[in-house]
Amino acid sequence: MQIEIALPDDIARDLTAKWGNLERQILEIVVVQAYRDGVISAGKVRQLLGMATRLEVDAFLKQKGAFLHYDQSELKADREIHEQLRREGKLPA
Protein backbone atom coordinates (compact mmCIF):
# COMPACT_ATOMS: atom_id res chain seq x y z
CA MET A 1 0.00 0.00 0.00
CA GLN A 2 1.25 3.44 -0.86
CA ILE A 3 0.23 6.28 1.49
CA GLU A 4 0.69 9.93 0.70
CA ILE A 5 0.46 12.87 3.08
CA ALA A 6 0.30 16.54 2.26
CA LEU A 7 2.56 18.95 4.13
CA PRO A 8 3.06 22.62 3.47
CA ASP A 9 6.37 23.18 1.72
CA ASP A 10 7.85 25.22 4.58
CA ILE A 11 7.04 22.52 7.15
CA ALA A 12 8.36 19.75 4.90
CA ARG A 13 11.54 21.77 4.38
CA ASP A 14 11.98 22.34 8.15
CA LEU A 15 11.36 18.66 8.95
CA THR A 16 13.75 17.54 6.24
CA ALA A 17 16.40 19.93 7.56
CA LYS A 18 15.98 18.44 11.05
CA TRP A 19 15.40 14.75 10.21
CA GLY A 20 17.00 14.21 6.82
CA ASN A 21 15.05 11.64 4.82
CA LEU A 22 11.49 12.57 5.73
CA GLU A 23 9.93 9.47 4.17
CA ARG A 24 12.22 7.18 6.19
CA GLN A 25 11.60 9.13 9.40
CA ILE A 26 7.83 8.87 9.02
CA LEU A 27 8.11 5.15 8.29
CA GLU A 28 10.20 4.67 11.46
CA ILE A 29 7.67 6.61 13.53
CA VAL A 30 4.81 4.44 12.28
CA VAL A 31 6.78 1.21 12.75
CA VAL A 32 7.86 2.10 16.31
CA GLN A 33 4.31 3.02 17.31
CA ALA A 34 2.92 -0.16 15.74
CA TYR A 35 5.50 -2.18 17.71
CA ARG A 36 4.63 -0.37 20.96
CA ASP A 37 0.95 -1.04 20.37
CA GLY A 38 1.63 -4.73 19.78
CA VAL A 39 0.41 -4.58 16.20
CA ILE A 40 3.70 -5.83 14.75
CA SER A 41 6.53 -8.00 16.05
CA ALA A 42 10.24 -7.27 16.18
CA GLY A 43 10.56 -9.51 13.12
CA LYS A 44 8.20 -7.25 11.21
CA VAL A 45 10.17 -4.20 12.39
CA ARG A 46 13.26 -5.83 10.92
CA GLN A 47 11.50 -6.59 7.64
CA LEU A 48 9.86 -3.16 7.25
CA LEU A 49 13.04 -1.23 7.99
CA GLY A 50 15.40 -3.55 6.09
CA MET A 51 17.57 -4.40 9.08
CA ALA A 52 20.03 -7.26 8.85
CA THR A 53 19.89 -8.71 12.36
CA ARG A 54 17.70 -8.95 15.43
CA LEU A 55 20.46 -7.16 17.38
CA GLU A 56 20.11 -4.20 15.02
CA VAL A 57 16.34 -4.18 15.66
CA ASP A 58 16.86 -4.37 19.43
CA ALA A 59 19.31 -1.45 19.35
CA PHE A 60 16.96 0.61 17.16
CA LEU A 61 13.95 -0.04 19.42
CA LYS A 62 15.99 0.77 22.52
CA GLN A 63 17.15 4.04 20.95
CA LYS A 64 13.50 4.91 20.26
CA GLY A 65 12.43 4.00 23.80
CA ALA A 66 10.34 1.05 22.59
CA PHE A 67 11.54 -1.80 24.74
CA LEU A 68 11.10 -5.49 24.04
CA HIS A 69 7.83 -7.06 25.01
CA TYR A 70 8.59 -9.27 28.00
CA ASP A 71 5.91 -10.20 30.49
CA GLN A 72 5.76 -12.03 33.83
CA SER A 73 5.06 -15.40 32.23
CA GLU A 74 8.20 -15.09 30.09
CA LEU A 75 10.24 -14.10 33.14
CA LYS A 76 8.90 -17.11 35.05
CA ALA A 77 9.74 -19.45 32.14
CA ASP A 78 13.27 -18.00 31.89
CA ARG A 79 13.82 -18.45 35.63
CA GLU A 80 12.65 -22.09 35.44
CA ILE A 81 15.01 -22.80 32.56
CA HIS A 82 17.86 -21.10 34.42
CA GLU A 83 17.18 -23.18 37.53
CA GLN A 84 17.02 -26.38 35.50
CA LEU A 85 20.34 -25.60 33.80
CA ARG A 86 21.90 -24.83 37.18
CA ARG A 87 20.65 -28.16 38.64
CA GLU A 88 22.07 -30.01 35.63
CA GLY A 89 25.45 -28.41 36.28
CA LYS A 90 25.37 -26.42 33.07
CA LEU A 91 25.64 -23.14 34.98
CA PRO A 92 27.79 -22.16 37.93
CA ALA A 93 26.07 -22.53 41.32
Side-chain angles (χ1 to χ4, degrees):
M1 171 188 292
Q2 198 74 9
I3 298 174
E4 293 184 28
I5 62 169
L7 294 172
D9 289 340
D10 59 327
I11 293 175
R13 188 174 39 256
D14 292 346
L15 292 175
T16 300
K18 173 116 176 127
W19 293 342
N21 183 333
L22 191 53
E23 184 177 331
R24 175 65 182 205
Q25 185 66 28
I26 291 169
L27 175 61
E28 288 181 4
I29 290 167
V30 170
V31 167
V32 167
Q33 191 60 51
Y35 177 80
R36 281 186 179 126
D37 291 346
V39 176
I40 63 172
S41 66
K44 285 292 180 189
V45 171
R46 180 178 171 194
Q47 177 184 2
L48 289 167
L49 298 180
M51 295 180 171
T53 67
R54 175 62 191 257
L55 291 175
E56 188 178 358
V57 172
D58 292 350
F60 169 79
L61 291 172
K62 181 179 179 183
Q63 176 192 29
K64 300 297 183 183
F67 301 102
L68 300 176
H69 299 281
Y70 192 78
D71 63 21
Q72 290 288 46
S73 65
E74 291 169 311
L75 175 61
K76 182 180 177 189
D78 285 348
R79 283 183 166 171
E80 289 170 359
I81 291 169
H82 183 269
E83 181 59 28
Q84 177 184 350
L85 291 172
R86 191 191 58 73
R87 280 192 312 268
E88 293 172 358
K90 296 179 180 176
L91 294 175

